[in-house]
Amino acid sequence: MSNDDFTMNKFLILIGIVLIAACSPQEKAAEEVLNVYSHRHYDADKLVFGKFEEESGIKINLVKAGADELINRLELEGANSPADVLITVDAAKLNRARDKGLLQPLQMPTLNIPEELRDPQDYWTALTFRARVIAYDKLKINPADITTYLDLSKNEWQGKVLIRSSSSVYNQSLLASVLYNEGEEVAKTWAAGIVNNMARDPKGGDRDQIKAIASGVGELAVVNTYYVGLLLNSQNPEELAAGNSVGIIFPNQETSGTHINISGIGITKHSPNRENATRFIKFLTSEDVQKIYASTSFEYPANANVNADSTIAEWGKFKYDHLNYADSLYFSNKAIEIFDEVGWK
């Protein structure tokens, strides 16, 4: 071998070493990424996502949008989707993604999540849940007079009920559960009765309904529990006063149970980082992280070993609806039709 050939071989070897050194960190970095599509928008998520990045070394790329928008995006992206996990705040939305073939089985039987808070087909698990309860003016309402959601449609509450718009996924799921448990005619009568009893046209979120009770606009409101928890832990005196002005009723304790809304997660069908996604779900459902959710967002933790924050635990334990309605898109679609038919804005 000539000196020129030897020199050239050394040069090529050096080039190869440089290329390997340059590429390896990039390849490793590509493996240590998790792409999250999420409908949630809470401070607790920022906290636990940052904690996951710090403890795991895995960088989270977060895309936030409405559940329907994220599901449509997954459909359009197909096998080229970068998404690893989908997080939504409604079980029916997760089931929609599952039925469209956008999720894959979790295959994580060791998660300490009750069976009723997991997809029977193993495509998603709950992270947290919140109860859709009736808040009432402590000074004007006897809570013994209201035991079910249907009671809110009685004529005696005309001009006293506050509730957000029909576009709210929380209300769509609530009406879907009424449809499932009571039938179409009862659900339609109930929705029409709520419209008749509204203290004002629907506007704002759940906290706005509670503030309206405190301001004397109405006396009853349908709200999620965690919003009351947020008000009761607010540093804003007006919000704290609003939270303290209401009591909480868990409806339907003698029948189907109080309606709950799940925040849940599934692994996408074409997840490029399946191992990281699995690690992420185990992290989010761990006892330490579930305690963060409970104390920061005031949601009920899905992990059976973790207690609710003391703020909402004071309201007591309750029987909840087991979400069978969410397995069929019929109930969600029919609920929207009923809202339109009865003029629920």
Side-chain angles (χ1 to χ4, degrees):
M1 178 183 295
S2 68
N3 287 336
D4 288 343
D5 290 337
F6 182 76
T7 301
M8 179 58 71
N9 284 340
K10 287 178 65 178
F11 176 75
L12 292 174
I13 290 170
L14 287 171
I15 290 293
I17 292 172
V18 170
L19 288 173
I20 291 171
C23 292
S24 293
Q26 293 176 357
E27 290 173 0
K28 184 176 181 181
E31 293 173 357
E32 299 305 314
V33 164
L34 183 75
N35 301 309
V36 176
Y37 282 13
S38 178
H39 184 186
R40 285 174 59 94
H41 52 83
Y42 312 118
D43 290 340
D45 291 47
K46 295 178 184 178
L47 185 61
V48 299
F49 287 9
K51 184 176 174 66
F52 176 77
E53 288 183 318
E54 181 181 350
E55 294 185 7
S56 69
I58 298 171
K59 182 181 185 304
I60 291 178
N61 297 317
L62 178 63
V63 174
K64 292 199 294 185
D68 290 333
E69 183 180 345
L70 292 173
I71 290 170
N72 292 339
R73 179 168 177 167
L74 285 171
E75 281 191 288
L76 290 171
E77 291 171 339
N80 296 318
S81 176
D84 293 302
V85 295
L86 172 67
I87 301 174
T88 79
V89 294
D90 185 71
K93 301 295 185 183
L94 287 164
N95 285 339
R96 181 184 170 209
R98 178 200 66 197
D99 294 344
K100 286 178 173 289
L102 301 175
L103 302 178
Q104 59 176 287
L106 296 178
Q107 298 179 333
M108 300 169 65
T110 58
L111 295 180
N112 193 29
I113 308 296
E115 181 179 348
E116 63 269 19
L117 297 178
R118 296 187 62 167
D119 175 35
Q121 300 179 47
D122 192 40
Y123 283 88
W124 56 261
T125 181
L127 298 175
T128 62
F129 65 94
R130 57 290 289 266
R132 196 117 180 97
V133 296
I134 298 171
Y136 65 92
D137 188 324
K138 290 179 179 178
L139 301 178
K140 299 176 181 177
I141 296 293
N142 179 358
D145 292 337
I146 302 171
T147 60
T148 70
Y149 294 108
L150 298 183
D151 286 340
L152 286 178
S153 64
K154 293 179 178 178
N155 290 334
E156 63 191 279
W157 308 122
Q158 189 169 5
K160 297 181 179 180
V161 176
L162 295 151
I163 193 166
R164 65 201 296 175
S165 75
S166 62
S167 64
S168 165
V169 67
Y170 303 135
N171 285 340
Q172 290 172 8
S173 290
L174 175 58
L175 181 53
S177 71
V178 175
L179 267 165
Y180 179 87
N181 290 314
E182 306 290 347
E184 183 173 337
E185 289 305 313
V186 172
K188 191 179 299 183
T189 299
W190 176 77
I194 295 295
V195 172
N196 182 64
N197 288 347
M198 286 181 182
R200 65 180 182 188
D201 286 344
K203 66 177 181 177
D206 284 1
R207 275 180 281 198
D208 295 305
Q209 314 313 317
I210 298 168
K211 290 176 184 178
I213 288 179
S215 299
V217 176
E219 299 175 11
L220 296 158
V222 180
V223 298
N224 283 343
T225 43
Y226 77 106
Y227 285 115
V228 186
L230 288 168
L231 289 174
L232 290 172
N233 287 274
S234 175
Q235 299 301 309
N236 183 315
E238 180 186 353
E239 291 191 338
L240 183 60
N244 281 314
S245 72
V246 299
I248 298 300
I249 297 168
F250 290 97
N252 295 46
Q253 290 304 284
E254 300 300 322
T255 55
S256 58
T258 296
H259 175 69
I260 63 171
N261 189 274
I262 279 177
S263 272
I265 187 170
I267 299 176
T268 59
K269 177 67 176 293
H270 303 289
S271 168
N273 304 288
R274 161 87 200 199
E275 289 186 10
N276 290 349
T278 298
R279 186 173 178 181
F280 185 57
I281 293 174
K282 289 181 178 178
F283 175 82
L284 294 182
T285 56
S286 68
E287 291 186 22
D288 287 345
V289 173
Q290 289 280 292
K291 290 175 183 176
I292 293 174
Y293 278 128
S295 63
T296 305
S297 64
F298 305 100
E299 298 171 277
Y300 289 97
N303 187 310
N305 288 336
V306 180
N307 295 323
D309 181 82
S310 59
T311 300
I312 62 175
E314 289 181 357
W315 303 329
K317 294 184 179 181
F318 65 98
K319 173 186 173 182
Y320 59 79
D321 193 339
H322 283 195
L323 298 170
N324 293 324
Y325 76 90
D327 282 329
S328 173
L329 286 175
Y330 166 80
F331 297 105
S332 296
N333 292 336
K334 192 65 182 178
I336 294 171
E337 289 181 18
I338 289 175
F339 279 138
D340 290 340
E341 184 177 339
V342 302
W344 188 319
K345 298 179 181 178

